[in-house]
């Protein structure tokens, strides 16, 4: 038996490993199981090259839980280690200077430290985060005597011969009191399914029950009775769909794999993209387009990142553009290390290339769907529009690609490309400054009367209504030439699209001033700006509008970002439009009784407020009583 001290230059290496090496202690299981898989894969390689002549046999990796002994064992049948290799790979930690590691670690944040782990090759030592003792039983494929190694988390270790007869390695973790949760079968199973579901070697853990027919027993109808049996439970799919070539995959395979990834999701994806590239980087994967809600109630962290089928993270910001995090699916690349930090991802050139490639493939897929079957693309548009909006707002390159297949939808349910819509409205909706005005509604029910007024003038109205529209409108106004957007209820129809036609009022300036003074006595002048418009006598006597710029800035500020600083805290302001063609103007001018004049104005104002859903509480109650009295 040999006793010794692990070759580190500082004794505070183990407390750092034990408590601070990873931000999440559960990663230990991924690290140890991944090592076991690597050892197994190496044996398969040696066998294929003729360097190993023996029988490979069962190569599964087994995880054994012993709650009574408080141990968790990871057992493989891979290449194993000799005593000399234990000295080299375990006792002499695989980095040039432990002191260098400690110094680098101390200057980093917890997230950044994860990048250091991969650099120094400390995967095995993650086991000490959850253990007060770790043992190794191992026998090399070379046929030498087996070895037993043990360490209690201090630099001292024990190394001796072992009676292990079968090839491979067992890592035995004696779980400490702080981490007894990892002795629960449900917790271990949860971690294995999270980190090991697609490892290329079968992973065995515990038993599972299943039913099968008993040919010797029949039920009353003569059918074989079902009997319950038990078998080994394998938790992984060793050949996941993304590792196959697209030509070998059918549409049903993609749907089935989606259900495997998200067993609690009942809606099928709209379509998918199969990624498969080996130059200038290696990348495989499958991305799915889910149905995206209008208010972007999307579960983030739905794209799973793998490195050679080992789960890395489901937080892929920095690896894919932000708007693509709305997608679901899998990305697998050996060019992204297992242990990554945000700062590493932001600076790594390979990662930037991968991000750009994925964005290009998404644009390619959307353009292909649009060109090949526009009718089917239009059917999916409402479900994918928010996703495309997000991309066009946030990524210049994606905007340039998406211009070809982006669709405007009007309130009649017709779809237009950007180019087609410009042609559709440029003659009728061009104002006196030669700018084309795109009218839109975000609530066709509430804005029905304004839509009708626009349609009576022969104008077209777009249907918008998701949370990103204000940002998208600003983007379009910057990118498209001589185009401006106006919500259909943000002003009277004549002022939304101002023509060269003379605006002749039937009221003179003195009459307007009289009416304005009378109206302003009954409203909050800080909230309402009084203006006049020549509308139909069938329109309301007073109309309330919120100026397009003010409303848009407040909405964007409420969403977070994009608005002017402090805009969200400004009080609501409205335009109060007096319809000069309504008989109410004559009545206000003719009324000498101030109380009756006030009642006329107040009732007209309440009608305007009611039409905009702004009449609430006591004011609404008073309006109802006043209406009943007038009747």
């Amino acid at each position: 038996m040999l006793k010794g001290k692990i070759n580190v230059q500082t004794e505070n290496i183990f407390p750092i490993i034990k408590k601070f090496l990873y931000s999440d202690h559960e990663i230990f299981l991924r690290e140890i199981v991944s090592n076991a898989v690597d050892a197994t894969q190496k044996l398969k390689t040696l066998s294929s090259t003729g360097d190993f002549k023996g029988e490979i046999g069962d190569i599964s990796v087994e995880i054994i839980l012993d709650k009574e002994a408080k141990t968790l064992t990871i057992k493989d049948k891979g290449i194993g280690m000799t005593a000399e290799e234990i000295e080299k790979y375990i006792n002499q930690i695989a980095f040039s200077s432990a002191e260098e590691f400690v110094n680098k670690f101390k200057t980093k944040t917890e997230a950044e430290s994860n990048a250091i782990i991969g650099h120094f090759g400390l995967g095995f030592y993650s086991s000490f985060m959850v253990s007060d003792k770790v043992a190794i039983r191992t026998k090399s494929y070379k046929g030498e005597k087996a070895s037993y190694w043990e360490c209690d988390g201090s630099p001292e270790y024990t190394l001796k011969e072992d009676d292990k007869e079968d090839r491979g390695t067992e890592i035995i973790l004696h779980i400490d009191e702080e981490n007894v949760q990892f002795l629960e079968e449900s917790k271990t199973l949860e971690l294995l399914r999270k980190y090991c579901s697609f490892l290329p070697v079968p992973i065995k853990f515990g038993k599972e029950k299943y039913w099968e027919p008993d040919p010797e027993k029949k039920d009353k109808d003569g059918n074989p009775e079902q009997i319950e049996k038990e078998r080994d439970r394998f938790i992984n799919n060793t050949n996941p769909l993304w590792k196959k070539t697209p030509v070998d995959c059918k549409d049903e395979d993609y749907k089935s794999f989606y259900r495997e990834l998200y067993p609690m999701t009942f809606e099928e994806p709209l379509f998918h993209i199969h990624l498969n590239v080996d130059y200038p980087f290696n990348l495989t994967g499958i991305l799915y387009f889910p149905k995206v809600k209008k208010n972007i109630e999307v579960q983030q962290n739905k794209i799973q990142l793998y490195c050679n089928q080992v789960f890395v993270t489901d937080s892929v910001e920095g690896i894919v553009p932000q708007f693509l995090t709305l997608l679901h699916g899998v990305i697998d690349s050996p060019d992204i290390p297992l242990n990554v930090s945000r700062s590493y991802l932001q600076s790594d050139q390979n990662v930037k290339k991968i991000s750009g490639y994925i964005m290009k493939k998404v644009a390619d897929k959307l353009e292909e769907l649009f060109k090949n079957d526009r009718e089917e693309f239009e059917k999916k548009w409402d479900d994918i529009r928010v996703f495309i909006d997000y991309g066009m707002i946030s990524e210049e390159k994606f905007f340039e690609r998406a211009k070809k297949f982006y669709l405007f939808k009007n309130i009649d349910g017709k779809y237009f490309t950007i180019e087609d819509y410009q042609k559709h409205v440029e003659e009728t909706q061009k104002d006196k400054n030669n700018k084309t005005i795109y009218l839109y509604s975000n609530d066709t029910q509430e804005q029905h009367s304004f839509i009708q007024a626009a349609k009576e003038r022969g104008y077209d109205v777009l249907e918008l209504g998701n949370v990103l529209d204000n940002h998208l409108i600003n983007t379009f106004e910057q990118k498209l030439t001589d185009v401006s957007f106006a919500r259909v209820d943000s002003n009277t129809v004549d002022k939304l699209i101002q023509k060269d036609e003379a605006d002749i009022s039937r009221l003179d300036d003195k009459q307007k001033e009289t009416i304005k003074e009378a109206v302003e006595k009954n409203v909050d002048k800080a909230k309402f700006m009084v203006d006049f418009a020549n509308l139909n006598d069938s329109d309301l006597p007073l109309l309330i509008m919120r100026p397009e710029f003010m409303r848009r800035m407040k909405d964007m500020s409420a969403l977070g970002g994009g608005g002017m600083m402090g805009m969200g805290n400004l009080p609501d302001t409205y335009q109060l439009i007096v319809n000069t063609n309504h008989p109410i103007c004559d009545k206000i001018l003719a009324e000498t009784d101030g109380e009756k004049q006030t009642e006329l104005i107040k009732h007209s104002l309440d009608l305007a407020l009611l039409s905009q859903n702004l009449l609430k509480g006591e004011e609404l109650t008073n309006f109802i009583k006043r209406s009943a009295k007038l009747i």
Side-chain angles (χ1 to χ4, degrees):
M1 182 174 73
L2 172 67
K3 288 194 175 183
K5 186 177 267 193
I6 293 172
N7 183 21
V8 294
Q9 296 175 18
T10 176
E11 300 218 355
N12 66 356
I13 184 75
F14 276 94
I16 288 176
I17 288 172
K18 189 173 181 66
K19 292 186 178 180
F20 306 113
L21 186 58
Y22 291 84
S23 58
D24 193 345
H25 281 196
E26 68 182 33
I27 300 292
F28 83 93
L29 194 57
R30 181 192 76 182
E31 295 293 320
I32 305 302
V33 174
S34 296
N35 286 348
V37 169
D38 285 344
T40 307
Q41 295 283 74
K42 286 173 182 174
L43 185 75
K44 289 169 68 178
T45 300
L46 290 171
S47 178
S48 66
T49 59
D51 294 305
F52 174 64
K53 306 292 186 183
E55 289 292 326
I56 290 182
D58 174 16
I59 57 165
S60 61
V61 172
E62 185 173 9
I63 289 81
I64 303 164
L65 192 64
D66 189 331
K67 197 169 183 179
E68 190 173 330
K70 295 185 177 180
T71 61
L72 184 63
T73 301
I74 295 88
K75 181 179 180 180
D76 70 64
K77 297 166 186 176
I79 58 173
M81 288 184 287
T82 64
E84 183 182 352
E85 287 168 337
I86 289 177
E87 281 283 355
K88 182 178 180 180
Y89 298 116
I90 302 296
N91 295 341
Q92 298 177 27
I93 294 178
F95 54 85
S96 59
S97 166
E99 194 70 48
E100 179 190 359
F101 166 76
V102 172
N103 290 336
K104 284 199 173 187
F105 180 88
K106 284 179 176 176
T107 62
K108 300 295 181 182
T109 65
E110 194 167 339
E112 290 173 324
S113 70
N114 282 357
I116 298 175
I117 299 160
H119 176 71
F120 285 102
L122 291 166
F124 164 72
Y125 283 91
S126 65
S127 58
F128 285 97
M129 293 189 304
V130 297
S131 311
D132 51 26
K133 184 171 69 175
V134 177
I136 301 174
R137 296 184 69 209
T138 184
K139 183 176 176 65
S140 172
Y141 75 98
K142 298 172 183 176
E144 297 184 20
K145 289 185 177 180
S147 299
Y148 178 89
W149 178 94
E150 183 180 288
C151 179
D152 63 2
S154 68
E156 284 80 22
Y157 69 87
T158 297
L159 178 60
K160 61 183 181 180
E161 287 187 5
D162 190 76
D163 59 1
K164 179 177 170 63
E165 294 183 356
D166 53 333
R167 178 198 69 233
T169 300
E170 297 175 32
I171 308 294
I172 304 154
L173 311 183
H174 295 261
I175 305 298
D176 62 32
E177 291 299 323
E178 294 179 11
N179 293 283
V180 290
Q181 71 202 63
F182 298 116
L183 292 172
E184 297 296 330
E185 181 176 322
S186 59
K187 179 65 176 178
T188 301
L189 183 59
E190 174 193 335
L191 296 183
L192 289 170
R193 283 178 171 158
K194 177 177 180 180
Y195 293 110
C196 308
S197 282
F198 300 106
L199 285 173
V201 172
I203 308 297
K204 184 164 55 176
F205 175 61
K207 301 288 184 181
E208 64 180 1
K209 298 186 185 311
Y210 71 102
W211 294 87
E212 73 172 30
D214 184 348
E216 296 182 1
K217 294 182 179 179
K218 308 286 185 181
D219 62 18
K220 61 181 181 180
D221 297 321
N223 299 314
E225 288 187 3
Q226 298 289 319
I227 55 173
E228 189 179 69
K229 289 193 171 184
E230 197 173 63
R231 63 188 174 196
D232 290 333
R233 175 171 53 204
F234 289 90
I235 58 90
N236 60 321
N237 173 356
T238 59
N239 189 27
L241 195 66
W242 80 80
K243 301 299 289 185
K244 300 177 182 179
T245 56
V247 71
D248 295 329
C249 304
K250 299 176 182 177
D251 193 51
E252 185 51 46
D253 296 329
Y254 290 108
K255 292 177 180 178
S256 178
F257 184 61
Y258 187 77
R259 291 190 289 270
E260 184 178 350
L261 287 173
Y262 312 107
M264 299 306 293
T265 300
F266 302 107
E267 280 190 336
E268 288 191 346
L270 296 167
F271 43 87
H272 63 268
I273 300 172
H274 196 139
L275 306 168
N276 194 343
V277 62
D278 55 16
Y279 182 82
F281 46 79
N282 288 296
L283 177 74
T284 55
I286 300 171
L287 293 177
Y288 293 94
F289 286 71
K291 288 187 176 181
V292 180
K293 307 300 180 187
K294 285 188 177 181
N295 55 358
I296 319 187
E297 285 182 353
V298 178
Q299 286 183 293
Q300 295 277 339
N301 305 332
K302 283 292 189 177
I303 296 179
Q304 301 171 12
L305 175 67
Y306 289 79
C307 176
N308 289 325
Q309 295 177 241
V310 181
F311 177 82
V312 179
T313 182
D314 54 11
S315 179
V316 295
E317 291 87 355
I319 301 168
V320 300
Q322 181 68 32
F323 77 98
L324 290 178
T325 60
L326 302 184
L327 298 181
H328 295 177
V330 170
I331 298 171
D332 190 338
S333 175
D335 293 321
I336 299 175
L338 277 177
N339 301 291
V340 291
S341 68
R342 191 173 298 275
S343 61
Y344 170 86
L345 290 173
Q346 289 171 346
S347 61
D348 185 78
Q349 290 304 309
N350 260 340
V351 171
K352 288 180 180 178
K353 290 176 184 175
I354 289 171
S355 176
Y357 170 80
I358 293 171
M359 184 167 66
K360 179 182 181 300
K361 292 297 288 184
V362 168
D364 288 346
K365 180 70 174 183
L366 290 166
E367 188 172 351
E368 175 194 330
L369 290 169
F370 172 73
K371 287 181 176 178
N372 291 347
D373 192 342
R374 175 163 173 174
E375 185 178 348
E376 190 63 28
F377 188 77
E378 288 180 0
K379 288 178 183 177
K380 292 182 169 73
W381 180 252
D382 289 348
D383 291 314
I384 63 173
R385 201 202 115 199
V386 173
F387 156 78
I388 297 173
D389 289 352
Y390 193 3
M392 295 181 79
I393 291 165
S394 59
E395 294 286 344
E396 178 78 25
K397 289 182 179 178
F398 186 77
F399 181 94
E400 291 305 314
R401 291 293 307 277
K403 281 195 305 185
K404 301 172 185 176
F405 52 77
Y406 189 86
L407 296 178
F408 286 124
K409 178 184 176 184
N410 71 9
I411 58 169
D412 298 320
K414 294 180 180 178
Y415 293 90
F416 303 84
T417 63
I418 294 174
E419 184 179 352
D420 289 343
Y421 194 72
Q422 176 67 12
K423 292 176 181 176
H424 180 63
V425 299
E426 63 183 353
E427 292 300 321
T428 55
Q429 293 178 209
K430 193 167 284 187
D431 69 8
K432 62 184 180 182
N433 297 315
N434 214 33
K435 180 173 281 192
T436 305
I437 310 300
Y438 290 4
L439 301 179
Y440 70 94
S441 167
N442 70 340
D443 191 323
T444 56
Q445 293 299 312
E446 282 197 4
Q447 295 153 12
H448 182 267
S449 62
F450 299 97
I451 292 169
Q452 288 304 112
K455 293 183 79 171
E456 286 170 7
R457 289 295 186 101
Y459 297 153
D460 192 85
V461 180
L462 293 173
E463 183 181 302
L464 303 178
N466 70 49
V467 72
L468 294 175
D469 279 333
N470 284 314
H471 291 276
L472 182 71
I473 286 168
N474 282 355
T475 301
F476 276 133
E477 287 178 338
Q478 292 167 18
K479 302 286 187 183
L480 304 180
T481 305
D482 291 328
V483 167
S484 181
F485 285 73
R487 204 168 85 180
V488 72
D489 64 339
S490 61
N491 212 324
T492 61
V493 68
D494 289 338
K495 292 187 178 181
L496 287 173
I497 305 177
Q498 293 191 15
K499 304 286 188 177
D500 285 325
E501 302 161 4
D503 184 16
I504 301 173
S505 174
R506 71 183 190 84
L507 300 180
D508 60 31
D509 290 344
K510 184 177 180 181
Q511 290 173 318
K512 285 183 179 180
E513 189 60 33
T514 300
I515 291 174
K516 183 178 180 181
E517 288 176 1
V519 171
E520 285 182 341
K521 287 178 183 178
N522 294 281
V523 298
D524 180 354
K525 287 194 285 187
K527 189 174 183 179
F528 294 99
M529 297 175 289
V530 179
D531 200 359
F532 294 85
N534 301 323
L535 306 174
N536 295 328
D537 58 8
S538 59
D539 288 325
L540 288 174
L542 298 182
L543 292 91
I544 289 174
M545 312 283 187
R546 177 181 282 180
E548 175 74 13
F549 173 78
M550 180 68 73
R551 179 200 52 73
R552 200 187 296 184
M553 289 299 103
K554 281 184 70 68
D555 287 351
M556 289 170 67
S557 181
L559 180 61
M564 294 173 64
M565 187 176 294
M567 185 67 73
N569 297 321
L570 290 177
D572 288 317
T573 56
Y574 302 91
Q575 280 186 304
L576 183 58
I577 308 293
V578 179
N579 179 3
T580 59
N581 287 325
H582 197 281
I584 196 74
C585 291
D586 296 326
K587 289 188 177 183
I588 291 172
L589 290 169
E591 186 58 69
T592 57
D593 186 325
E595 192 173 315
K596 288 184 178 179
Q597 187 185 65
T598 296
E599 190 173 70
L600 282 171
I601 293 169
K602 183 65 177 169
H603 200 72
S604 299
L605 177 63
D606 285 350
L607 281 171
L609 289 167
L610 189 65
S611 72
Q612 289 282 21
N613 202 28
L614 295 172
L615 196 62
K616 309 283 185 182
E618 184 180 354
E619 294 297 319
L620 177 59
T621 302
N622 292 338
F623 170 75
I624 294 170
K625 289 180 178 178
R626 193 186 316 114
S627 298
K629 181 181 175 182
L630 287 172
I631 291 171

